[in-house]
Amino acid sequence: MRPLATALLTISFSFIVSLTLASPVWAADIWYLGQKIPDPQQPWRASDYALLQKALKQIDLSQPDALPRRSGEYTGAIYRRLISEENFRYQLNIYLPLELRQLEAQAMLEQLKELMRVYFNFRAKLQPYGSEALGLMSYSLRQQAVQFTLTVEYWTTLAKNEQQNPARLQGLAETKQGAAMLTSSALDYLALTSQFGHHDLALYANELAALMPELYVHLDIEARDELRTRLTTLASDHPLPPVKNALADLLPVLQVVETDLRDKSAQPLTAEPAPKPNLNLKFEPDF
């Protein structure tokens, strides 16, 4: 078993060697506690998340309290890359094929779910990586919002008859159901006041308040109603004042969004004007 200090020296040594050889940093292999990990100095793709997830699973089995920390002096760079907005760059690159970007978004979301299982200990009375687990949940919601952005982008490319295709409608419904489940799970963490630090929950509540409107607009009516009901209860009954305040500030924002969504759905579709009849009866030769 290698101590944490040795692992940190391994990371530093990898960077020093790459600089000494005048080769780009991303050409070097990066190792953490004997496990190969993706380069935290470069944006990650789903394959990089898969590599990290495999490495952290192995580390968590062999070395206690050794996963990258959100505010770690040395390992913080790894965790910050893990939840970096830069990692969405490939998915949001409009010059790349949309289908590939959609596949990337789905693969990334699956890897984030697996990483949550590494950081969250379901048997612990107090989460050893509470801040990190909550940060990953917030980031998963960001990824879900990006996935919806790509779904809407794809939907606008379809002809009207294709938009009504039962298979496509089913796929859209499943995406919305998955988002509703993820959103519901995100709220579940707020109730775990004995497992998470109060400061971490307060930070998490503010992150949710910032993220929720972007995701909210894509949910079905039933899911939106349920979400507002739960938020109302939490804003009233949650034992932590910072959490209550963050959710209380969120509710009127969602209500405005809800009113706008319902107003738009109530507007009748504008019928396309019928073509004007051709009243020119003069014969025109077609040559």
Side-chain angles (χ1 to χ4, degrees):
M1 182 181 300
R2 299 172 62 190
L4 181 58
T6 303
L8 300 176
L9 287 174
T10 303
I11 295 175
S12 301
F13 181 73
S14 298
F15 286 123
I16 292 172
V17 168
S18 63
L19 292 173
T20 302
L21 296 178
S23 61
V25 172
W26 55 87
D29 288 340
I30 309 298
W31 298 84
Y32 175 57
L33 288 174
Q35 301 294 322
K36 186 177 179 180
I37 64 170
D39 186 351
Q41 291 194 345
Q42 300 298 318
W44 287 353
R45 296 270 306 277
S47 57
D48 297 308
Y49 278 82
L51 177 62
L52 181 74
Q53 183 241 126
K54 180 181 178 182
L56 295 189
K57 274 187 176 179
Q58 187 61 40
I59 291 170
D60 195 45
L61 289 174
S62 60
Q63 310 218 29
D65 197 31
L67 299 183
R69 292 282 186 176
R70 193 170 193 169
S71 57
E73 183 178 356
Y74 298 103
T75 63
I78 301 173
Y79 186 84
R80 286 191 294 273
R81 172 54 60 191
L82 174 58
I83 59 171
S84 172
E85 297 283 340
E86 261 195 313
N87 299 336
F88 299 137
R89 183 185 298 171
Y90 176 90
Q91 300 172 43
L92 298 175
N93 186 346
I94 61 174
Y95 298 104
L96 295 173
L98 180 56
E99 183 179 0
L100 294 181
R101 293 188 283 135
Q102 286 181 302
L103 291 173
E104 174 74 13
Q106 183 59 41
M108 188 94 91
L109 195 56
E110 292 299 322
Q111 291 301 325
L112 286 169
K113 291 177 182 177
E114 291 301 316
L115 280 163
M116 277 291 296
R117 293 187 175 96
V118 178
Y119 270 97
F120 187 82
N121 186 339
F122 292 91
R123 294 170 295 181
K125 292 183 178 180
L126 180 64
Q127 290 300 313
Y129 300 100
S131 178
E132 291 73 26
L134 294 175
L136 274 171
M137 176 54 81
S138 297
Y139 192 72
S140 297
L141 290 175
R142 289 191 183 97
Q143 177 61 79
Q144 184 73 75
V146 170
Q147 187 179 39
F148 267 125
T149 298
L150 299 177
T151 300
V152 171
E153 183 181 343
Y154 172 71
W155 207 254
T156 59
T157 66
L158 298 175
K160 289 185 178 180
N161 62 323
E162 274 297 302
Q163 292 179 356
Q164 300 304 315
N165 183 300
R168 297 197 187 281
L169 289 173
Q170 177 64 25
L172 181 61
E174 290 176 355
T175 301
K176 290 191 174 187
Q177 290 168 6
M181 291 178 61
L182 183 62
T183 306
S184 179
S185 297
L187 294 184
D188 290 341
Y189 285 93
L190 290 172
L192 304 179
T193 54
S194 62
Q195 292 194 40
F196 290 101
H198 294 181
H199 173 76
D200 295 334
L201 283 174
L203 174 61
Y204 178 62
N206 280 279
E207 289 177 346
L208 288 185
L211 289 167
M212 201 63 72
E214 185 179 359
L215 194 57
Y216 180 85
V217 296
H218 297 291
L219 301 177
D220 288 328
I221 292 177
E222 294 80 4
R224 299 199 305 264
D225 290 345
E226 180 182 348
L227 177 60
R228 292 198 317 279
T229 299
R230 290 191 65 187
L231 287 172
T232 300
T233 301
L234 287 167
S236 172
D237 301 340
H238 201 279
L240 301 180
V243 173
K244 292 175 65 173
N245 294 338
L247 302 184
D249 291 341
L250 171 62
L251 277 168
V253 176
L254 295 186
Q255 189 58 59
V256 170
V257 175
E258 182 64 30
T259 301
D260 185 57
L261 290 172
R262 290 181 185 261
D263 287 346
K264 288 181 178 178
S265 64
Q267 292 177 1
L269 295 177
T270 303
E272 296 183 2
K276 294 182 178 180
N278 183 9
L279 300 179
N280 181 10
L281 302 180
K282 183 180 178 180
F283 173 76
E284 296 288 346
D286 58 0
F287 54 83

